[in-house]
Amino acid sequence: MRRIVILSPHRPSRELISRLLAEPGLSVVAMSDADEALDSIAEEEPALVVVDARRPDEDQPLLLGLLKRRHPRQPLITLVPGRLRVFDGSEERVRDVRDGSAEGLHVLLSELQRATRDLLAQHLLRMLRPPTGEA
């Protein structure tokens, strides 16, 4: 089963993102503690990590730095004010979204869903594709 790890220090955000991304065949694990998230990622590599950094938390920059250092190819979506940063394991794209209004939140969540579907499809292709030279 493919797994998504969500990190947000804010319970309502964790619950909203978890419900938004939940679907059959996915295990969605939401956490508030950066150390717990890093341990979980090291124990079992997830298909995707989502970090909600819209409200600053002192652990987020450290977590993002450690995650990129320890797991440099880990697909990652970071929600920051007005933007969605999407790292597919090799390159990062930034999607600008209006923030601060109900419409802005709707756009942000729609973009999050779309980016998640894209990254999960890429993950599935990597799992199904035979290693180079073994086809």
Side-chain angles (χ1 to χ4, degrees):
M1 179 175 285
R2 294 180 299 163
R3 187 168 75 107
I4 296 175
V5 172
I6 298 168
L7 177 67
S8 175
H10 307 283
R11 186 180 53 77
S13 293
R14 286 193 306 273
E15 291 174 0
L16 176 64
I17 295 169
S18 295
R19 281 190 295 228
L20 185 73
L21 301 182
E23 62 180 58
L26 280 179
S27 168
V28 178
V29 181
M31 302 173 186
S32 62
D33 182 72
D35 290 331
E36 181 184 5
L38 284 170
D39 289 345
S40 175
I41 293 164
E43 187 177 300
E44 179 186 349
E45 184 179 319
L48 174 63
V49 175
V50 177
V51 177
D52 184 0
R54 291 174 298 152
R55 295 182 187 145
D57 181 281
E58 63 186 41
D59 288 341
Q60 291 164 347
L62 178 61
L63 167 86
L64 293 170
L66 286 172
L67 183 61
K68 287 182 179 185
R69 184 176 186 165
R70 294 178 184 173
H71 308 278
R73 311 267 309 146
Q74 175 63 60
L76 171 69
I77 297 175
T78 307
L79 289 79
V80 294
R83 289 195 176 90
L84 201 66
R85 301 180 76 90
V86 181
F87 178 69
D88 67 7
S90 61
E91 64 182 85
E92 184 175 71
R93 295 179 319 278
V94 177
R95 297 181 182 180
D96 289 321
V97 291
R98 284 198 342 245
D99 206 6
S101 68
E103 182 182 344
L105 179 60
H106 177 73
V107 170
L108 176 74
L109 295 177
S110 295
E111 287 295 319
L112 174 60
Q113 282 182 305
R114 183 165 56 201
T116 299
R117 282 193 297 267
D118 291 348
L119 292 176
L120 289 175
Q122 289 175 19
H123 180 262
L124 188 58
L125 287 173
R126 281 192 305 274
M127 288 176 31
L128 297 175
R129 186 178 305 139
T132 304
E134 295 183 22

